[in-house]
Amino acid sequence: MIKQSIIENVLEAALSKGGDFSEVFIEDKYVNRLELQGGKLEKSISGRDYGIGIRIFSGLQSIYTYTTDFSEEGLLLAAKRAAHAIKSGVNGTIHPLRKELFQPIHQIEQMPQTVEHARKVAVMRKANEIARNYDERIRQVGLRYIDEEQHILIANSEGKFVEDTRVHSRLSIQATASDDIEMQTGFYGPGAHAGFEFIENLDLEHYAGEAARIAITMLGADECPSGKFPVIIDNEFGGVIFHEACGHGLEATSVAKNNSVFANRIGEKVAPDIVTYIDDGTLPNEWGSLNIDDEGEKTRKNVLIENGILKGYLIDKFNARRMNAEATGSSRRESYRFNPTSRMTNTYIAPGTSTPEEIIASTESGLYAKYMGGGSVNPATGDYNFAVSEAYLVKNGKIDRPVRGATLIGNGAKTLQLVDKVGNNLAHGAGMCGSISGSLPVNVGQPMIRISEITVGGTKGE
């Protein structure tokens, strides 16, 4: 991308006013976005984004800037301007850059840029047809396709010099059902750290059919009662509740400033013995996986909670200084425009020993959340509020009628303590996570779990 000699000069210029660490992050990204509405291609956007971020540390002070001027003069000017923001300190040492090689985790068969749009649109049209033909009450189907090829180079004053290519592909399907009185929607959005082969090999009968089935099921659903019930949350995207309510509280972004209910609690019992919570960026071809993080460190499997005991946090290089701890390969950013920080990759509850059938059969009454929707959480307190996109009442150990309008309200740390069943059917779901370093692809996952009591907000009292 840029000559190594120029990178070395930029790193040196960044430390010219007293920093003790400098880093450059170079990005060249290609993006394709397609949207199909009502069977017609409504949007087709392709673009390229190219820029460089420059970061400087001086003790616990961090300076970040970025530029799209790739001339040596422009890069040196950006580095020196950032350096002037450093208020004190002794100039750091620049170590010779050493190129690091690694074995890629992800097998990419078809780079998206080599695939013509017609093949991508053909998959979308097929998914549209499957969803539309599911039921005559499906009135609208919308599809969004995205692929990205991101080429990065990371170098720092400690001698790190590493490059990587990341490829993401995703197809999102939304079906809308109507009986001429009301409308309901269903959604499914599979994604992977993979090429076009992932899109072309998708089981569209399953994904498009599920999006349509959810919409039709909720169209005829009763209003959800409100109260405090046992709640069974199914696998896959059900893991979003603990991603939001607990995962963010285990990131050093919050922990290092004591803005988390999990701060300073390593070694404490924070969940039942049956709960083990993991963030693993090394899972092959998973949506949230990476070969290296955005500081050039290899990703790893980080066990955050093991058999109920808090074991660790997700830590980036800068917050490692604040915490006097080791970075965990968890630093991420949306692009060169963002200062990186600790973020999740593929975060999930490890499988237990109960079968889904056993969990349901042992629940006399409660709520079964098959698919979770969106929600909000306060990372400092862990208080959350999540919508359930497909829910059912459970009566006498059996799944009863579907209900709509259900929301789950609670506190992440407290809810974690109330997990009393963990299934054996672990699955992951793709999503996007927003935080101070931008919007990132992440997986959330879990087997089916049961929480002994959650406040359920509904549209009618029981």
Side-chain angles (χ1 to χ4, degrees):
M1 294 180 176
I2 299 177
K3 290 182 180 179
Q4 182 171 323
S5 59
I6 295 177
I7 294 173
E8 291 171 341
N9 290 339
V10 172
L11 292 171
E12 187 173 358
L15 297 184
S16 61
K17 298 296 180 181
D20 57 64
F21 171 85
S22 60
E23 171 196 78
V24 298
F25 176 88
I26 305 171
E27 176 185 24
D28 188 5
K29 181 164 66 177
Y30 298 85
V31 181
N32 293 296
R33 299 177 188 270
L34 304 172
E35 290 188 16
L36 196 76
Q37 294 287 342
K40 298 180 180 179
L41 187 64
E42 297 287 346
K43 186 179 294 185
S44 177
I45 300 174
S46 298
R48 182 183 183 188
D49 199 7
Y50 193 38
I52 180 169
I54 301 171
R55 186 166 61 151
I56 310 169
F57 295 166
S58 178
L60 296 181
Q61 183 184 12
S62 176
I63 305 297
Y64 189 75
T65 189
Y66 67 86
T67 181
T68 56
D69 183 347
F70 274 71
S71 68
E72 182 171 9
E73 180 182 357
L75 292 171
L76 290 174
L77 180 61
K80 290 175 181 178
R81 283 177 174 171
H84 276 287
I86 296 294
K87 297 178 181 178
S88 62
V90 178
N91 288 11
T93 302
I94 302 292
H95 296 273
L97 296 180
R98 304 177 303 276
K99 187 164 186 177
E100 297 179 16
L101 301 176
F102 56 85
Q103 184 65 37
I105 300 169
H106 318 289
Q107 183 177 1
I108 309 296
E109 297 176 11
Q110 295 185 71
M111 297 296 282
Q113 291 297 321
T114 67
V115 178
E116 60 271 21
H117 273 30
R119 286 176 62 191
K120 301 172 183 179
V121 174
V123 174
M124 299 173 75
R125 292 193 189 282
K126 183 177 180 181
N128 174 75
E129 182 180 357
I130 292 168
R132 284 299 298 261
N133 291 337
Y134 183 87
D135 189 286
E136 62 181 8
R137 290 169 292 175
I138 297 295
R139 302 295 174 84
Q140 184 66 269
V141 178
L143 293 107
R144 291 185 179 183
Y145 167 94
I146 182 170
D147 64 53
E148 295 182 352
E149 292 182 24
Q150 183 195 38
H151 309 281
I152 64 167
L153 185 155
I154 300 168
N156 66 37
S157 57
E158 295 175 348
K160 180 175 290 293
F161 186 93
V162 61
E163 297 179 77
D164 191 22
T165 296
R166 302 160 174 175
V167 180
H168 287 93
S169 302
R170 191 181 191 194
L171 181 66
S172 299
I173 308 161
Q174 180 168 295
T176 302
S178 175
D179 58 5
D180 296 326
I181 298 174
E182 59 180 287
M183 293 191 301
Q184 294 290 328
T185 61
F187 174 85
Y188 224 133
H193 191 302
F196 185 68
E197 70 279 358
F198 171 78
I199 300 294
E200 207 159 41
N201 293 328
L202 280 174
D203 183 352
L204 296 178
E205 293 286 348
H206 169 67
Y207 291 113
E210 275 292 271
R213 185 197 60 78
I214 295 167
I216 293 296
T217 300
M218 291 297 97
L219 191 63
D222 294 337
E223 302 296 326
C224 182
S226 58
K228 292 185 177 181
F229 317 128
V231 174
I232 299 168
I233 304 177
D234 215 338
N235 63 358
E236 198 174 320
F237 202 73
V240 69
I241 191 168
F242 285 109
H243 164 97
E244 294 288 357
C246 296
H248 282 298
L250 294 169
E251 294 169 335
T253 311
S254 300
V255 175
K257 297 179 180 179
N258 290 320
N259 289 332
S260 167
V261 293
F262 296 105
N264 303 310
R265 296 184 63 187
I266 295 294
E268 289 188 23
K269 186 82 167 176
V270 297
D273 293 345
I274 57 175
V275 175
T276 293
Y277 195 50
I278 297 167
D279 184 272
D280 189 353
T282 71
L283 300 176
N285 292 111
E286 289 293 347
W287 176 244
S289 292
L290 301 164
N291 290 308
I292 57 173
D293 74 357
D294 286 329
E295 292 174 335
E297 299 299 321
K298 288 184 179 179
T299 55
R300 63 184 79 173
K301 180 179 181 180
N302 292 298
V303 178
L304 305 173
I305 298 171
E306 185 174 29
N307 300 326
I309 304 297
L310 183 60
K311 292 290 187 177
Y313 305 113
L314 300 175
I315 307 173
D316 59 280
K317 195 174 187 69
F318 181 69
N319 282 307
R321 292 184 171 208
R322 287 175 165 167
M323 300 170 65
N324 193 28
E326 178 188 359
T328 60
S330 307
S331 184
R332 302 187 67 188
R333 64 179 108 197
E334 179 180 333
S335 72
Y336 66 88
R337 294 180 176 86
F338 292 84
N339 192 4
T341 191
S342 55
R343 301 287 296 275
M344 288 172 275
T345 55
N346 307 300
T347 313
Y348 60 95
I349 295 175
T353 58
S354 299
T355 67
E357 294 78 14
E358 290 169 347
I359 294 173
I360 293 167
S362 65
T363 305
E364 184 177 345
S365 66
L367 187 77
Y368 166 48
K370 182 170 178 59
Y371 288 117
M372 295 296 297
S376 61
V377 63
N378 181 336
T381 64
D383 292 335
Y384 64 80
N385 185 313
F386 282 93
V388 183
S389 57
E390 182 180 0
Y392 298 81
L393 295 181
V394 177
K395 291 187 176 181
N396 301 318
K398 295 181 180 180
I399 295 175
D400 195 49
R401 66 187 189 277
V403 291
R404 63 189 182 198
T407 57
L408 304 183
I409 304 164
N411 176 274
K414 293 178 181 178
T415 300
L416 198 59
Q417 294 277 6
L418 297 175
V419 176
D420 65 2
K421 294 284 184 181
V422 177
N424 60 2
N425 60 335
L426 171 66
H428 297 271
M432 297 299 294
C433 175
S435 188
I436 59 174
S437 63
S439 181
L440 298 170
V442 297
N443 262 9
V444 297
Q446 64 178 37
M448 179 185 282
I449 64 171
R450 187 177 72 186
I451 300 164
S452 60
E453 183 179 271
I454 297 183
T455 298
V456 177
T459 50
K460 70 173 183 177
E462 188 172 53

